[in-house]
Amino acid sequence: MQEISEFNLSEHVHRRFNPLKGEWVLVSPHRSRRPWQGQIEQPEIETRTAYDPACYLCPGNTRAGGAKNPEYPDVFAFDNDFAALLPHTPDGHLDDSGLIVAESERGISRVICFSPRHDLTLARMEVSAIRRVVDLWTREVAELGLHPWINHVLIFENRGEMMGCSNPHPHGQIWAQQSIPNETASESEHMSEYYARTGSSLLGDYLARELDARTRIVCENEGFVALVPFWAIWPFETMVISRRPVQSLLELTEHERDDLADILKRLTTRYDNLFSTMFPYSAGIHQAPVDGVEHPEWHLHMHFEPPLLRSATIRKFMVGYELLAEAQRDVTPESSAERLRSLSEKHYHESDA
Ligand code: H2U
Ligand code: ZN
């Protein structure tokens, strides 16, 4: 009979708990060597030029909806021409025995161009240019939050074709709306419960433990820490957490805004360097609802959810067990953090030059 050794997170199958969402993830560390004869992704070939006359987002060009972009020098925001959320939806709801339920939803969808340069990404922009993106995000949150009927603002970026990004021009989106969507509602609930019980920030206390352990940290500066969360689902998932338990972007000091720009550049550069490719991801900023109420339980953070698994061509699929039971991962968060930590913060594009 095979002897059972002592339980060990880097060897034995286990489930990890995500206290932010109250969900579990199955970790199967022994399984990372399984053969792959399935779909191979096409790595994106970077052939972009600084200006593309056919791009809807380049300065001076006409967008798909007919509007003309200004000759913007740094960042540029506009109302999405194909908005998923609209400001003038009539109020209404439907409730048939709590079984067939619907509510009308109002919102505003914005598109944010990070740079006039068609060929750049956050990873390849100067920190001072990313700082302008941070400033614009902050302004947008402040302005959108002024609408009394807007309670939630999500800032996000889909990067790469694999993540459904429609255009390689560096850009992100903002969806501001009346309701608190599922992901934020779940985090809100768990942060509130923790705050009510302990009087402190769930993520602040979690971060203190990570800074002690140092096994899942990727990089850090005075204001922010980038780490692979203990409960990460995606192979190279990370979170960027503010050291100070601020509720939203609106509370960041000038210095912290610079620090956010700095850590975004360093983290996304490490991502690109991992497989020497423009690393695809969905990233988003989670912050307190703008519902006019104080949220001492909230702690600003950013999620990076990248699909790639072993190379630029093999991705993780969320199917079968993940869709029907719970999330599952093979490589441990600790080994992913170690790989990301060991990479250079000089972009491979610059090293080639
Ligand atoms: P994604 O690449 O993450 O899909 O974001 C691009 C958004 O830009 C998308 O929501 C909008 C699309 O509706 N868009 C415009 O508003 N105008 C355009 O001319 C092109 C794309
Ligand atoms: Zn462009």
Side-chain angles (χ1 to χ4, degrees):
M1 224 178 79
Q2 197 189 340
E3 205 176 308
I4 305 284
S5 53
E6 208 174 310
F7 172 61
N8 172 339
L9 288 179
S10 59
E11 249 179 82
H12 302 126
V13 182
H14 60 278
R15 292 168 82 215
R16 296 190 183 193
F17 182 64
N18 175 348
L20 254 188
K21 288 177 58 178
E23 289 178 358
W24 293 84
V25 48
L26 179 67
V27 187
S28 314
H30 63 287
R31 199 163 166 261
S32 46
R33 305 255 158 264
R34 80 196 158 108
W36 185 258
Q37 296 184 317
Q39 178 168 315
I40 303 289
E41 307 292 332
Q42 243 357 297
E44 266 174 66
I45 312 288
E46 288 184 64
T47 51
R48 291 180 291 156
T49 46
Y51 169 73
D52 178 350
C55 170
Y56 292 126
L57 303 178
C58 274
N61 290 1
T62 303
R63 295 204 301 274
K68 191 172 153 62
N69 297 325
E71 291 289 345
Y72 58 96
D74 39 49
V75 290
F76 171 50
F78 61 92
D79 281 340
N80 197 313
D81 299 308
F82 309 94
L85 288 156
L86 300 163
H88 301 299
T89 310
D91 237 8
H93 68 273
L94 169 82
D95 187 341
D96 179 355
S97 325
L99 295 174
I100 299 191
V101 180
E103 279 178 358
S104 62
E105 184 68 6
R106 294 172 72 192
I108 297 176
S109 306
R110 307 270 291 159
V111 178
I112 306 282
C113 296
F114 296 159
S115 163
R117 283 270 305 265
H118 185 79
D119 57 338
L120 295 185
T121 57
L122 286 179
R124 295 182 53 210
M125 283 164 61
E126 301 284 343
V127 174
S128 58
I130 304 175
R131 164 65 199 257
R132 281 186 215 112
V133 177
V134 172
D135 287 344
L136 178 62
W137 283 340
T138 311
R139 252 186 345 261
E140 288 283 324
V141 174
E143 281 167 20
L144 290 163
L146 287 178
H147 294 281
W149 52 274
I150 280 186
N151 297 309
H152 183 268
V153 179
L154 181 76
I155 296 169
F156 65 98
E157 179 193 5
N158 295 319
R159 199 221 246 196
E161 285 164 6
M162 213 181 284
M163 293 312 286
C165 180
S166 59
N167 181 323
H169 194 107
H171 70 282
Q173 298 193 48
I174 300 183
W175 292 22
Q177 68 191 101
Q178 208 171 357
S179 309
I180 311 296
N182 293 341
E183 293 291 317
T184 323
S186 170
E187 290 193 359
S188 242
E189 184 190 326
H190 293 92
M191 284 191 274
S192 293
E193 189 276 323
Y194 186 89
Y195 187 79
R197 188 156 47 82
T198 64
S200 64
S201 152
L202 185 160
L203 273 186
D205 288 358
Y206 168 67
L207 181 59
R209 275 166 181 73
E210 290 292 8
L211 287 168
D212 272 349
R214 306 208 71 84
T215 46
R216 284 172 292 272
I217 308 282
V218 176
C219 56
E220 59 191 302
N221 59 28
E222 262 180 54
F224 291 86
V225 179
L227 53 81
V228 179
F230 180 70
W231 53 82
I233 290 175
W234 296 98
F236 293 97
E237 177 177 336
T238 56
M239 278 174 81
V240 171
I241 307 175
S242 64
R243 286 191 199 258
R244 225 159 44 84
V246 293
Q247 295 171 20
S248 80
L249 286 178
L250 301 174
E251 287 170 54
L252 293 182
T253 62
E254 292 285 313
H255 197 81
E256 284 168 331
R257 289 187 192 193
D258 283 337
D259 285 344
L260 179 54
D262 169 76
I263 207 145
L264 287 179
K265 179 172 176 77
R266 290 166 55 195
L267 178 62
T268 53
T269 298
R270 284 168 184 274
Y271 271 153
D272 282 2
N273 285 344
L274 182 61
F275 301 130
S276 296
T277 186
M278 189 177 96
F279 195 75
Y281 60 70
S282 267
I285 297 177
H286 275 164
Q287 51 190 333
V290 286
D291 53 2
V293 183
E294 268 301 299
H295 286 282
E297 74 283 7
W298 255 93
H299 192 138
L300 172 74
H301 60 278
M302 201 163 170
H303 293 275
F304 280 83
E305 313 207 354
L308 288 180
L309 175 61
R310 268 188 261 170
S311 65
T313 54
I314 297 186
R315 62 162 296 163
K316 156 103 186 139
F317 285 95
M318 289 288 180
V319 291
Y321 187 83
E322 281 98 338
L323 282 184
L324 298 158
E326 68 188 19
Q328 186 272 340
R329 64 176 295 135
D330 298 339
V331 197
T332 64
E334 294 72 35
S335 64
S336 296
E338 198 181 322
R339 279 192 70 187
L340 288 172
R341 197 164 49 232
S342 70
L343 293 164
S344 166
E345 288 187 347
K346 188 175 161 74
H347 198 276
Y348 70 90
H349 251 274
E350 283 148 42
S351 314
D352 285 353

